[in-house]
Amino acid sequence: MRVGIMSFAHMHAYSYAVSLVKIPGVTLVGVFDKDQGRGEKAAKKYQVPYFKQQDAFLRQDMDAVIICSENIYHKEMVIEAAKAKKHILVEKPIATSVEDAKEMIQICKENGVSLQVAYPVRFSRPIRMLKNMIDAGELGELVAIRSTNRGQNPGGWFIEKELSGGGAVLDHTVHMVDIMRWYTNKEITEVYGVVDSYFHNIDIDDAGILTLEFENGLIATHDSSWSKFYAYPTWGDVTIEVIGTKKSVRVDALKEHYRVYTSGDKALRHIPFGNNMDFDLVQDFINCVKYGRQPSITGYDGLKSMEVALAAYRSSENKTAILL
């Protein structure tokens, strides 16, 4: 299978590229990036051609593309890749508006290509273990969920709204809302959010607290932020606690790590030993394309999780709950 990467704007692109070259029978064939310097650097690193023009890149003999551009360019790249008959794995959030996401999904459907959204947290071993427990009925009826996704401020284009579409709440809500929907098989019907910038002197949000209600009455809270400081031993946290009528279970997706102490300005580091979520995500995408399977994480999944994050902004601005 031949795969190209469209943009290295998002840091996950490097992890996805490493994952691709580790999968037997898969070849990374080229890089396109609107930023020529960034694209040429990535192409040199992985010893593949760099394409300055998107249409020239998409004319190459490829089965699929992975899109890791600035959020605002997801729509354009997905649509052009779909028209070129390339299967697509797009970095989250799927888009920056509900309308754009719906158009992307429709055009992929019309062109007969799969559209998968990059939610690697679904492939965390502890997260999947809890999913299995829920499906087996071990927790009983689910009544409430609490989750967090708190990381460091990534800076760069992430804090430029015209490129990102939103700050920490958009960046760090979609992952865990996707997990909640996956766990419950229910949709969120009401969103209340408090969103602001608390930790950095920036013109975009760096934190938010969301209260969610599902169609079956289940309630949830989500804490999303760029609140971790530079010397924190890892980039952040990903936790979820599910409360059921039989038992409650809390999962930390990043708990599987060693603590390593060194000299320097970052004395403590967390070195993970659990499964590589990014690798498992990419391998799943490759297998879905190879065997013609429905994507494990569909464009619709990406739409619904993004919809909740965007509703949180409206809720905070209007100081009222938003019905979905």
Side-chain angles (χ1 to χ4, degrees):
M1 186 174 296
R2 296 168 61 82
V3 183
I5 295 182
M6 301 181 73
S7 183
F8 275 74
H10 199 290
M11 64 285 292
H12 281 175
Y14 295 91
S15 178
Y16 299 157
V18 170
S19 299
L20 282 173
V21 300
K22 289 182 178 179
I23 301 173
V26 175
T27 303
L28 177 59
V29 298
V31 169
F32 161 73
D33 202 313
K34 290 176 180 287
D35 185 316
Q36 184 170 347
R38 185 173 63 202
E40 288 179 340
K41 180 179 178 181
K44 182 178 180 181
K45 179 179 179 67
Y46 299 107
Q47 299 181 328
V48 297
Y50 164 71
F51 293 85
K52 186 176 181 180
Q53 301 298 327
Q54 183 171 263
D55 57 350
F57 170 80
L58 290 171
R59 284 197 299 268
Q60 301 305 302
D61 178 20
M62 292 182 295
D63 301 287
V65 296
I66 298 177
I67 297 173
C68 294
S69 67
E70 296 88 345
N71 297 341
I72 198 67
Y73 300 129
H74 287 182
K75 176 187 176 182
E76 170 197 333
M77 292 186 180
V78 165
I79 288 174
E80 293 306 312
K83 291 179 178 178
K85 307 301 182 182
K86 315 299 184 188
H87 299 287
I88 300 158
L89 174 64
V90 61
E91 185 54 61
K92 60 78 193 170
I94 184 174
T96 57
S97 76
V98 170
E99 294 75 17
D100 284 354
K102 288 180 177 178
E103 183 178 353
M104 293 156 67
I105 293 167
Q106 181 61 31
I107 289 177
C108 287
K109 181 179 180 180
E110 291 172 359
N111 285 275
V113 299
S114 62
L115 174 61
Q116 183 158 333
V117 182
Y119 284 142
V121 176
R122 280 227 202 170
F123 297 90
S124 159
R125 182 169 58 191
I127 291 287
R128 294 182 80 85
M129 289 174 65
L130 178 50
K131 168 67 171 171
N132 292 337
M133 293 174 67
I134 292 169
D135 289 349
E138 293 184 36
L139 276 67
E141 181 183 352
L142 306 186
V143 295
I145 298 175
R146 293 188 293 194
S147 68
T148 69
N149 191 353
R150 301 168 295 198
Q152 298 178 20
N153 181 353
W157 64 265
F158 284 87
I159 62 173
E160 298 178 27
K161 190 172 182 179
E162 65 273 15
L163 294 175
S164 66
V169 168
L170 180 59
D171 190 32
H172 280 180
T173 292
V174 290
H175 280 296
M176 300 316 293
V177 167
D178 178 67
I179 297 301
M180 292 181 195
R181 291 181 62 253
W182 187 46
Y183 278 179
T184 63
N185 293 312
K186 301 294 182 183
E187 297 294 358
I188 293 167
T189 55
E190 184 173 304
V191 180
Y192 185 83
V194 177
V195 180
D196 210 330
S197 182
Y198 299 95
F199 303 99
H200 308 89
N201 184 25
I202 56 178
D203 295 327
I204 203 166
D205 59 287
D206 65 13
I209 296 290
L210 280 63
T211 302
L212 313 172
E213 183 172 339
F214 287 73
E215 58 186 318
N216 63 340
L218 182 147
I219 57 172
T221 62
H222 177 63
D223 177 355
S224 58
S225 69
W226 292 332
S227 57
K228 302 301 183 183
F229 63 104
Y230 166 75
Y232 196 73
T234 187
W235 68 265
D237 66 31
V238 178
T239 70
I240 188 165
E241 181 177 7
V242 181
I243 296 94
T245 53
K246 291 183 179 178
K247 66 172 68 171
S248 300
V249 178
R250 183 180 184 275
V251 165
D252 184 340
L254 304 180
K255 190 67 173 180
E256 297 178 316
H257 64 258
Y258 301 105
R259 293 190 299 172
V260 177
Y261 292 90
T262 58
S263 58
D265 60 347
K266 198 168 184 178
L268 173 61
R269 296 179 184 271
H270 289 174
I271 308 300
F273 63 79
N275 70 302
N276 186 323
M277 292 183 279
D278 286 355
F279 176 83
D280 290 348
L281 166 73
V282 172
Q283 187 171 54
D284 176 77
F285 169 64
I286 294 298
N287 287 338
C288 286
V289 172
K290 182 177 180 180
Y291 298 110
R293 298 202 304 253
Q294 173 83 351
S296 301
I297 309 163
T298 65
Y300 184 76
D301 291 327
L303 162 65
K304 296 304 290 184
S305 52
M306 179 198 65
E307 183 180 45
V308 170
L310 296 181
Y313 289 114
R314 300 201 307 275
S315 172
S316 184
E317 182 178 354
N318 298 325
K319 295 181 172 54
T320 187
I322 300 296
L323 300 178
L324 298 179

